[in-house]
Amino acid sequence: MNTKRIQNHKGGIAFILFALLISLSSQAQFPRFKVLAFFSKQVEGDHVAFANDAIKFFNDLASGGGFVFDTTSTMTDLNDLKLKNYQLVMMLNDFPHNVEQREAFRRYMENGGGWYGFHVAAYNDRDTNWPWGLDFLGGGVFYRNNWPSMPAKLVIDDPKHPVTKGLPANFIAPINEWYQWKPSPRERKNIKVLVSLSPDNYPFGLKDIVPDGDFPVVWTNTDYRMIYLNMGHGREIFSDATQNKLIIDAFRWVIATDKKGNVFEK
Ligand code: ZN
């Protein structure tokens, strides 16, 4: 038996295994991240319709995109144990219902969690009684809306931000019910408004009319990894390529700014 030859052979196998290990560790891990989207079926029909469309839209993005898109209509899933598996929590047409859920969400966000909220996810009024939630969203209480829902001319506030980069200076967004907030979240130092409703729309609405005022539509609270988009009412939200780009770039940005590292660069 030629022991030298066997040793060489063993060395060769070890080298191949080593090379394989190196190449595996230098490749991106899949899935790269996990998203948990909360939605309710027990809300206004136009909000349910939006959630269904949103789930389809993000599911399509997830297929082949290397991320997991989980959905739940059970708000009790908003707890520490469940949330620790996710890099992003999405609120499609709902918000935390009680103190336990609110506190779990606060802990998640204060520990670097990500949030992407649409439309009614930011809704609050005098009866909400959630000071932290109000601060998180920029201090704006629901003030008024246009009705019926309709398209709107939007303007980009910051064309250099990753969320809005590459968008036209203004565009016509598809039919939506648009919420105005008081005071405007723009008044807060830690709120960065990225997109607003153009004053060209005023008077805005037919039955319910918004006559004037500052009208932020997309913003982030710079103390957290979060973004809010006021879109989320009805079946037309994903019908416009420009708006879809905004929705995707916002998603990408919240994921990319994870303090644990940019998963898109791994
Ligand atoms: Zn609505």
Side-chain angles (χ1 to χ4, degrees):
M1 191 182 274
N2 186 338
T3 45
K4 199 178 172 195
R5 202 167 154 184
I6 289 172
Q7 273 167 356
N8 278 348
H9 192 58
K10 274 184 185 165
I13 290 173
F15 178 77
I16 289 167
L17 283 175
F18 180 70
L20 199 68
L21 211 67
I22 293 291
S23 80
L24 277 178
S25 63
S26 65
Q27 275 174 4
Q29 301 289 307
F30 290 95
R32 282 172 162 173
F33 58 93
K34 290 177 75 177
V35 178
L36 181 60
F38 288 81
F39 70 104
S40 173
K41 301 168 197 164
Q42 317 298 326
V43 291
E44 198 175 329
D46 279 325
H47 294 177
V48 176
F50 164 74
N52 289 336
D53 288 350
I55 288 168
K56 189 183 178 311
F57 184 82
F58 286 102
N59 261 329
D60 286 351
L61 277 186
S63 59
F67 71 94
V68 170
F69 186 72
D70 288 338
T71 61
T72 177
S73 55
T74 309
M75 195 53 77
T76 49
D77 280 342
L78 201 64
N79 63 66
D80 297 340
L81 196 65
K82 182 91 177 174
L83 296 186
K84 74 175 176 38
N85 299 315
Y86 293 94
Q87 284 72 49
L88 181 69
V89 163
M90 211 176 247
M91 285 284 163
L92 299 178
N93 64 3
D94 209 354
F95 35 71
H97 296 165
N98 58 37
V99 174
E100 262 187 313
Q101 295 160 11
R102 286 173 174 183
E103 281 299 289
F105 178 62
R106 181 184 61 76
R107 284 191 293 274
Y108 174 75
M109 290 311 300
E110 287 179 346
N111 285 306
W115 184 80
Y116 192 133
F118 286 99
H119 198 52
V120 80
Y123 181 86
N124 72 91
D125 57 32
R126 281 171 196 202
D127 300 323
T128 303
N129 296 317
W130 188 21
W132 184 89
L134 187 60
D135 276 344
F136 175 71
L137 287 158
V141 177
F142 173 78
Y143 179 40
R144 54 191 177 185
N145 59 278
N146 66 296
W147 197 258
S149 50
M150 52 175 64
K153 181 179 175 184
L154 304 184
V155 291
I156 306 303
D157 288 88
D158 180 359
K160 289 184 181 144
H161 195 279
V163 171
T164 43
K165 209 175 168 183
L167 291 177
N170 57 68
F171 69 97
I172 305 297
I175 294 175
N176 188 44
E177 174 199 28
W178 304 90
Y179 295 162
Q180 193 181 34
W181 312 89
K182 197 175 184 178
S184 168
R186 198 189 309 267
E187 292 178 21
R188 291 269 175 106
K189 275 190 188 147
N190 59 350
I191 297 298
K192 172 94 181 142
V193 177
L194 300 172
V195 182
S196 305
L197 191 103
S198 166
D200 293 351
N201 295 288
Y202 296 142
F204 187 45
L206 295 169
K207 182 173 169 286
D208 294 336
I209 295 168
V210 178
D212 52 22
D214 189 26
F215 207 130
V217 165
V218 178
W219 68 84
T220 178
N221 179 334
T222 56
D223 293 339
Y224 299 95
R225 189 161 65 84
M226 67 84 91
I227 194 141
Y228 172 71
L229 277 73
N230 190 232
M231 299 79 176
H233 185 106
R235 296 167 194 278
E236 303 296 325
I237 301 300
F238 298 99
S239 66
D240 179 81
T242 303
Q243 181 157 289
N244 288 351
K245 176 173 162 52
L246 168 66
I247 290 169
I248 293 170
D249 288 351
F251 177 75
R252 199 180 167 83
W253 176 72
V254 181
I255 292 293
T257 50
D258 194 330
K259 285 198 172 69
K260 288 173 188 153
N262 183 348
V263 292
F264 299 116
E265 290 172 357
K266 277 182 187 169

